[in-house]
Amino acid sequence: MVFGFIGLGNMGAPMAANLAAAGCELIVYDKAGTAERAPEGATQAASVAEVSAAETVFLSLPDGAVVAAVAAEIMASNQRRTTAVIDLSTVGVEAATSLSAELGAVGVNYCDAPVSGGTAGAKAATVAVMFAGPAELFEALAEPLQAIGKPFLVGGQAGQGQAMKLLNNYLSATAMAATSEAIAFGVEQGLDPTLMVEILNASSGQNTATGDKFPNRIIPGKYDAGFTNTLMTKDLELYLAGVQGAGSAKRLSEPLVGLWRDFLAAEPDGDFTRIYPFVKGGE
Ligand code: NAD
């Protein structure tokens, strides 16, 4: 079976490489240049239409608008043999629901399967894959999904993977912002950032920012998580839209989204770990 893969960016390139390394036959495409991004051994397509010759197509694209445009190209292609689109992108609940309806109408099963674990997890094939779709398809795709990371079947309804992913990123963004404020306060008090992080990791304040982002990317001054504040703010906007739509609690999420919007405006497309110098007041 040949798998299609569209979008070979920070996440897509290593995930496609892991599929290829696991022995999956691939046809891949990225509009910014396929040759530079394609994994070894994969067939390089010149268009989305060419990829639509594959029965199952994975997507790793920036947002819902881009996925909708690519999905339209797949639907319009006269080379199309695609019957399943597995969308690894973060697009939000609403976009996933409408993509499922549109593709479903032409006999293509759209499953949202957003991932979490960053570029390091994408390379190490440890990302959580939050798959929403038919259980039979999830089982049939066990091999490629396991080549990408750790697959979870979150439900049968389109958008449920997105809901899971967005609430996860809300927590990740909260940890980054709150830890940045806490460390900035500690620095003001004359505490050493490395020691603070070590103590937090042995204490109840431990979280994903203290466990990974601060020791590995912020304190060494690398700011190289490979996840931009553009994408994180997009995820938070989608989370807030979902929360507003559902009428659930948002007392913390509203001001948090405001903070990330301000950070994005100050440093457009910066690495999301730069929230620390932003919160601290510039560095
Ligand atoms: P990216 O911008 O690095 O990659 C997106 C790729 O899609 C680019 O290479 C771009 O050229 C390509 N592309 C855009 N439009 C296209 C089109 N019309 N046809 C073909 N290719 C097209 O983004 P990323 O960081 O790899 O993120 C991809 C998705 O994964 C996003 O939805 C993001 O929110 C999500 N995500 C990212 C991370 C991370 O740490 N970077 C973690 C989890 C989830």
Side-chain angles (χ1 to χ4, degrees):
M1 194 175 184
V2 181
F3 295 101
F5 203 110
I6 301 173
L8 304 167
N10 288 327
M11 295 297 284
M15 292 193 289
N18 286 333
L19 281 168
C24 296
E25 211 177 311
L26 288 185
I27 175 161
V28 301
Y29 174 68
D30 190 297
K31 83 162 188 191
T34 305
E36 311 91 280
R37 295 170 176 81
E40 227 177 84
T43 303
Q44 297 168 20
S47 65
V48 168
E50 270 184 34
V51 179
S52 76
E55 279 173 36
T56 301
V57 175
F58 290 92
L59 308 179
S60 179
L61 296 165
D63 57 32
V66 176
V67 172
V70 167
E73 284 183 66
I74 292 174
M75 287 188 279
S77 163
N78 52 20
Q79 301 171 58
R80 175 162 67 84
R81 264 188 259 144
T82 307
T83 54
V85 168
I86 312 301
D87 188 5
L88 305 162
S89 330
T90 308
V91 300
V93 176
E94 213 181 302
T97 309
S98 56
L99 283 159
S100 167
E102 279 166 39
L103 285 158
V106 298
V108 180
N109 214 329
Y110 171 88
C111 301
D112 52 309
V115 299
S116 177
T119 52
K123 285 180 194 134
T126 55
V127 283
V129 185
M130 308 169 200
F131 187 102
E136 318 79 71
L137 190 54
F138 178 73
E139 275 153 32
L141 293 174
E143 209 180 308
L145 291 174
Q146 280 163 11
I148 290 171
K150 189 172 181 200
F152 294 90
L153 179 62
V154 298
Q157 198 182 306
Q160 287 180 318
Q162 293 296 324
M164 185 65 227
K165 164 69 186 173
L166 294 177
L167 70 87
N168 173 79
N169 274 28
Y170 164 64
L171 287 179
S172 162
T174 305
M176 281 296 291
T179 306
S180 294
E181 287 194 359
I183 299 288
F185 165 68
V187 167
E188 285 302 314
Q189 300 302 305
L191 299 176
D192 173 59
T194 303
L195 182 61
M196 273 189 273
V197 165
E198 202 183 325
I199 295 171
L200 288 168
N201 285 333
S203 310
S204 52
Q206 194 268 340
N207 62 64
T208 54
T210 63
D212 172 29
K213 309 306 179 319
F214 269 84
N216 298 327
R217 306 187 189 281
I218 296 176
I219 293 173
K222 293 195 209 153
Y223 303 109
D224 62 348
F227 185 47
T228 61
N229 55 7
T230 312
L231 291 179
M232 180 54 107
T233 308
K234 171 204 71 169
D235 292 356
L236 291 169
E237 301 281 7
L238 291 170
Y239 174 74
L240 193 57
V243 163
Q244 282 162 343
S248 57
K250 55 179 198 264
R251 282 180 63 175
L252 257 179
S253 37
E254 272 183 336
L256 183 89
V257 176
L259 172 62
W260 282 87
R261 279 181 195 141
D262 293 348
F263 168 39
L264 176 61
E267 288 190 40
D269 228 22
D271 196 272
F272 90 125
T273 52
R274 291 198 54 81
I275 184 96
Y276 173 64
F278 173 74
V279 160
K280 194 165 170 285
E283 237 174 35

